[in-house]
Amino acid sequence: MSFKKFYQQISKEISSPRLLTKPMELLAHGTDASFYRLTPKLVVKAANEEHIQSLLTHAYKEDVSLTFRTAGTSLSGQAVTDSVLVKLGHDWNDYTIEAEGSLIRLQPGIIGSRANHYLKSYGRKIGPDPASIDSAMIGGIAANNASGMCCGTAQNSYQTLAGIRLILADGTLLDSRDSTSVENFKKQQASLLNSLSKIRQEILADSQLHETIKRKYKIKNTSGYGLNSFIDFEDPLDILLHLIIGSEGTLAFISDITYKTVIDPQFKSCSLILFKNIAQACQASAELKKSPVAAVELMDEASLQCMAGRPNVPNEIAPGMVALLVDLRACSSEELKTKIEKVQLCIKDYGLDYNFTSDAKTYANLWEIRKGLFPIVGANRDSGTTVIIEDVCFPLDELAQATVALQNLLLKHGYDKAIIFGHALEGNLHFVFTQDFNQASEVQRYASFMDDLSELVCDQYHGSLKAEHGTGRNMAPFIEAEWGANAYRLMQQVKNIFDPKNILNPDVIISTNSQLHLQNLKPIPQADALVDQCIECGFCESACPSKDLTLSPRQRIAVWREIKRQENAGEDTKNWLKDFQYLGNDTCAADGMCATKCPVDIDTGQLIKKLRTLQHSSLTRSVAQFSAKHFSLSQSFIKTGLKLAKVTGKYPQQPKTKS
Amino acid sequence: MTLAQGDGPKVIYFSSCVNSVLAPESGKSTPKSVLSLLKKAGFHVLMPESPKSLCCGMPYESKGFDKSAKNKTLELQNSLWQLSDQGRIAIICDNSPCSYHMINTLTDKLKVLDAPSFFAQHLDLFKITKTQNSLLTFSVCSQQKAGESAALNKIAQACSQKLKEVEEITCCGFAGDRGFSHPELNSSSLKSLRDQVGKCTKGYSSSRSCEIGLKTHSGIPFNSILQLLDECSAPKE
Ligand SMILES: Cc1cc2nc3c(=O)[nH]c(=O)nc-3n(C[C@H](O)[C@H](O)[C@H](O)COP(=O)(O)OP(=O)(O)OC[C@H]3O[C@@H](n4cnc5c(N)ncnc54)[C@H](O)[C@@H]3O)c2cc1C
Ligand code: SF4
């Protein structure tokens, strides 16, 4: 493998501002929302298919691996690499709406909620609805098969796929909606398609495996490759397209995707219903699944404790109490009313005291309780620790026992502040806890917890270890445990068929490293009280004016943490501080818009302003004080700025043309 | 400037320093528009005595000159405290970032309002004739943070039927005067602006420094929404 040769070739074909190699930029762009840290050797801001094809061609030739990245909000370690990180951003923003809004073609750099904004006037939206939809982009949403509270297993990317344009590891392009492209592809890649058909036949011939696959996709499942493609479709091209969904950038590059859109009902109502215990709540969820509910969100006692006293949540939470947030949506107020009546009928035997509200403010309030759960744990953790969110799924009829078993497992390992919540209709539970990865004994605690979790979810309850968040590096070592040797072998084959040289996001989904989930853990050194609670989720990035020029708020924090780590380790931070001056400090608008998007209310601008204060020498400070005192004479900052700009001719400035 | 001394309620007008230093090359300056609007609406206008020496302190604060910033803030507070009869008279400021800064740093006893929000509440005091121009509006970051973006669009809607809002750009990146020293921040943030202009011939916002960058990167003039309102309005008979 020759990274050097790869780099030489690439730099001939992609302009240098798109190739980042400064150590600071590599660390900054390498950071994602997961608790893994790998620093790429090179970051490429790819602009178009030609860039991707040239990257793939040379990577294939030189055996260099590539990892694609859209918003980097992934939680399981599938968007980090120590090789080449290929970032897609604003260059991949094209879309077209077709068939009166019933189809939408989207490039991978579009934020999920933007797509919904485009569809708003048609009364429609895309099916996938991860909680991160205001930040996550289409590439990552499709490649993770992300879903959320209303999407279930019926409206995810897999189910609402109408077409993909993709590029394989060897550079072959396929546009499934273009018949010429399909014809050519069928000729060129006959052997690939043939291999997929063979796997299908093998699965159909193995009734046990066939049953396992059917069973496993009745609930949400993003562990491993989507083997359901092989039983849901006969045409190997359809199998191929559906395998790409959820493949986490390990099988092909997604250049655009066409979704069948879904109706976005405008009339909404919800209710927070309190149950005495988990058994009752889970039983009610099973009943509610038969009624016209849009979402049922479960929150355990610990979750409720976190939110106790907020509007609509009691002050005192009784031991064992569990809440269901039941949500209904409809296209008219009459329809909504009928739905409420049906739901009330459905759970009347429980003798519960609750109200459905359609008042916009109360409705939003109730959802804030649910949405605030992950951040509140993040915000209340000890600095230096990581917040971990896991995402498992159990068969619905066993949800009650499984939840209790999970609670006990967390207690057994000393995670006594963990909270559990999730999408009850799907049996999908998220649990959040904080973890210190700075000590070997703590890493060991996590390791034994994960082994036990795998045993609980896979062996005891036949659930899935990942329901929404993708396999990543976090669950790759457990895929075989979850699926069994036979299915795992087929998944290995899938990877090999698409990517025989293993250049696409290696170790993600398929890995031979049983310790992968315990390696390359992200250090979270204390950096500054203003930003220590940052969970590196990346939600702030889209609001930042400097994100495409230098660094985003998340990246500023990650870099500042690294500088502090270096300082603590007695390393020389001179070069980093020098680079940070422009990349981090000078080009921060300090407008605080990042805080408006941050789930833990961090205003990174405050950190930068603080650094600016610390930086001023006494001379500049006294000049500032002089100018403040003699403000009417100088109105200095503004005028000096103006003068400076005029002298240097920097202004007015035309927008830079795209390279 | 002569101040309107209408029969209506008293109001204090604090004009941000940027609006005099960075007055537009052509057309009315923002302070003139605001005074003209207040006059049309019949307000009794008060202004601090030596307005040019007062500053909310934000330009210092954003550069990390905390102490100087605090001094300017206190100076302004003292002046407004007396003038407002200890907070009884509302204060309007004509530049959103300054209004935002004042709201967040001055004592809560002072009633500070961003001018677009103030006038959006008082549109019924004017006789408005809509312009035929297609307008592009951009709500600046401080207005968004204050949750007051609707005010900008309410005024724009009253003044024209052909409106478009800038999408996806949350902050123009001008950052006070950083647009002068680091223009690349502004151009990076506004790179999609020119494509959004479409048929719009004029742009409106509520921060003078932001408007400079918005004009450069959109290719159309960008002015204060207060000027638009002034141009389209007459006193009610
Ligand atoms: C607070 C929080 C809440 C979340 N809630 C949810 C939730 O409710 N449901 C849920 O499902 N997820 C959730 N997530 C996880 C995550 O946001 C989603 O999985 C999201 O879809 C990832 O999108 P992204 O743009 O950030 O992708 P990235 O993280 O950048 O990438 C994701 C994967 O897609 C691959 N990829 C990206 N673009 C392409 C492409 N063009 N071609 C091929 N592969 C590509 C990457 O290589 C990577 O493997 C949450 C995350 C956070 C931080
Ligand atoms: S600053 Fe806030 S939004 Fe940004 S990465 Fe950190 S926690 Fe997320």
Side-chain angles (χ1 to χ4, degrees), chain A residues 52 56 60 66-68 78 142-143 164 166-172 174 185 189 192 196 199 224-227 229-230 238-254 490-510:
Chain A
I52 300 293
L56 284 168
Y60 202 71
L66 305 178
T67 296
F68 306 118
Q78 59 267 56
I164 307 190
L166 56 80
I167 306 176
L168 294 183
D170 66 4
T172 313
L174 164 69
F185 187 85
Q189 298 287 344
L192 185 154
L196 294 179
I199 296 184
Y225 290 118
L227 291 184
S229 319
F230 290 102
D238 285 329
I239 296 176
L240 181 151
L241 297 176
H242 287 84
L243 272 174
I244 300 303
I245 301 301
S247 67
E248 301 173 24
T250 65
L251 300 183
F253 174 79
I254 302 169
L490 295 180
M491 289 189 192
Q492 286 173 311
Q493 273 182 31
V494 167
K495 172 69 176 170
N496 199 39
I497 291 168
F498 279 88
D499 182 20
K501 295 186 84 179
N502 201 19
I503 60 161
L504 296 177
N505 218 4
D507 265 348
V508 168
I509 299 190
I510 302 293

Side-chain angles (χ1 to χ4, degrees), chain A residues 197-371:
Chain A
S197 291
K198 278 204 187 119
I199 296 184
R200 172 175 157 84
Q201 280 149 19
E202 199 178 323
I203 292 173
L204 295 184
D206 181 340
S207 59
Q208 203 186 342
L209 180 57
H210 192 167
E211 277 312 307
T212 305
I213 295 173
K214 273 208 265 182
R215 174 175 53 76
K216 286 191 74 70
Y217 287 101
K218 278 202 187 115
I219 57 173
K220 281 188 180 181
N221 190 326
T222 59
S223 313
Y225 290 118
L227 291 184
N228 47 346
S229 319
F230 290 102
I231 59 172
D232 293 346
F233 302 96
E234 192 179 343
D235 186 338
L237 195 82
D238 285 329
I239 296 176
L240 181 151
L241 297 176
H242 287 84
L243 272 174
I244 300 303
I245 301 301
S247 67
E248 301 173 24
T250 65
L251 300 183
F253 174 79
I254 302 169
S255 181
D256 71 35
I257 182 162
T258 307
Y259 280 119
K260 289 175 248 176
T261 62
V262 301
I263 292 171
D264 183 16
Q266 291 304 310
F267 292 80
K268 298 173 184 173
S269 183
C270 73
S271 176
L272 187 77
I273 308 179
L274 297 168
F275 292 83
K276 275 204 228 56
N277 56 51
I278 184 83
Q280 220 188 30
C282 289
Q283 201 189 341
S285 305
E287 311 257 344
L288 285 165
K289 199 171 167 87
K290 298 175 220 149
S291 76
V293 286
V296 175
E297 296 289 304
L298 178 145
M299 288 168 258
D300 76 344
E301 181 202 328
S303 306
L304 289 170
Q305 294 287 11
C306 285
M307 294 294 179
R310 303 212 176 189
N312 308 300
V313 188
N315 281 324
E316 300 278 326
I317 308 297
M321 188 182 254
V322 168
L324 294 181
L325 178 60
V326 180
D327 189 278
L328 305 177
R329 310 221 165 151
C331 294
S332 68
S333 54
E334 297 79 55
E335 191 192 340
L336 190 64
K337 209 170 136 237
T338 321
K339 283 190 172 177
I340 293 176
E341 283 160 9
K342 280 191 182 154
V343 168
Q344 284 167 334
L345 197 66
C346 176
I347 50 170
K348 73 167 186 333
D349 293 344
Y350 292 87
L352 298 157
D353 184 20
Y354 66 93
N355 266 323
F356 270 93
T357 178
S358 300
D359 170 60
K361 208 168 153 202
T362 321
Y363 180 90
N365 250 336
L366 287 171
W367 269 105
E368 263 165 34
I369 296 167
R370 160 64 185 84
K371 288 184 181 162

Side-chain angles (χ1 to χ4, degrees), chain A residues 24-37:
Chain A
M24 181 171 293
E25 291 174 316
L26 295 176
L27 177 113
H29 290 269
T31 303
D32 77 354
S34 73
F35 50 93
Y36 297 98
R37 152 79 28 88

Side-chain angles (χ1 to χ4, degrees), chain A residues 351-606:
Chain A
L352 298 157
D353 184 20
Y354 66 93
N355 266 323
F356 270 93
T357 178
S358 300
D359 170 60
K361 208 168 153 202
T362 321
Y363 180 90
N365 250 336
L366 287 171
W367 269 105
E368 263 165 34
I369 296 167
R370 160 64 185 84
K371 288 184 181 162
L373 284 174
F374 176 33
I376 207 155
V377 176
N380 292 334
R381 73 192 197 277
D382 295 335
S383 56
T385 63
T386 303
V387 55
I388 297 186
I389 177 164
E390 294 288 359
D391 161 44
V392 297
C393 202
F394 297 106
L396 196 54
D397 50 3
E398 290 178 288
L399 187 59
Q401 302 97 292
T403 311
V404 174
L406 185 58
Q407 281 169 335
N408 290 335
L409 187 67
L410 285 159
L411 287 177
K412 175 184 157 193
H413 289 274
Y415 296 114
D416 41 8
K417 285 194 190 135
I419 61 167
I420 301 179
F421 57 88
H423 316 307
L425 290 181
E426 258 67 46
N428 178 189
L429 296 182
H430 298 309
F431 52 100
V432 182
F433 56 97
T434 61
Q435 170 79 46
D436 181 350
F437 281 137
N438 299 314
Q439 296 168 39
S441 60
E442 281 292 287
V443 177
Q444 190 46 50
R445 172 159 81 126
Y446 181 66
S448 36
F449 170 72
M450 287 298 282
D451 290 341
D452 280 358
L453 181 71
S454 162
E455 217 258 332
L456 177 88
V457 175
C458 307
D459 304 339
Q460 270 174 265
Y461 287 100
H462 307 291
S464 29
L465 280 166
K466 279 287 151 110
E468 302 184 328
H469 298 169
T471 311
R473 314 177 86 76
N474 187 17
M475 285 304 175
F478 299 94
I479 296 300
E480 189 168 1
E482 174 170 341
W483 279 93
N486 218 2
Y488 187 62
R489 184 180 47 81
L490 295 180
M491 289 189 192
Q492 286 173 311
Q493 273 182 31
V494 167
K495 172 69 176 170
N496 199 39
I497 291 168
F498 279 88
D499 182 20
K501 295 186 84 179
N502 201 19
I503 60 161
L504 296 177
N505 218 4
D507 265 348
V508 168
I509 299 190
I510 302 293
S511 174
T512 51
N513 180 352
S514 65
Q515 301 296 302
L516 190 74
H517 61 304
L518 305 174
Q519 293 166 354
N520 302 301
L521 298 165
K522 195 192 268 179
I524 308 263
Q526 286 184 22
D528 191 296
L530 285 170
V531 296
D532 280 342
Q533 299 311 329
C534 172
I535 52 177
E536 301 193 353
C537 64
F539 286 9
C540 51
E541 295 200 330
S542 63
C544 175
S546 65
K547 64 176 181 298
D548 295 325
L549 177 69
T550 49
L551 297 179
S552 72
R554 164 168 67 178
Q555 294 170 343
R556 287 188 167 89
I557 294 172
V559 166
W560 196 244
R561 283 177 166 164
E562 170 60 13
I563 291 177
K564 288 290 152 184
R565 189 203 60 74
Q566 293 174 1
E567 239 174 61
N568 294 341
E571 295 168 23
D572 182 3
T573 54
K574 202 169 73 226
N575 287 334
W576 277 66
L577 286 173
K578 205 172 112 216
D579 283 342
F580 192 73
Q581 185 59 41
Y582 181 76
L583 297 176
N585 192 328
D586 291 349
T587 49
C588 176
D591 60 30
M593 286 304 282
C594 43
T596 64
K597 290 258 186 153
C598 175
V600 289
D601 290 332
I602 292 171
D603 175 353
T604 307
Q606 297 285 356

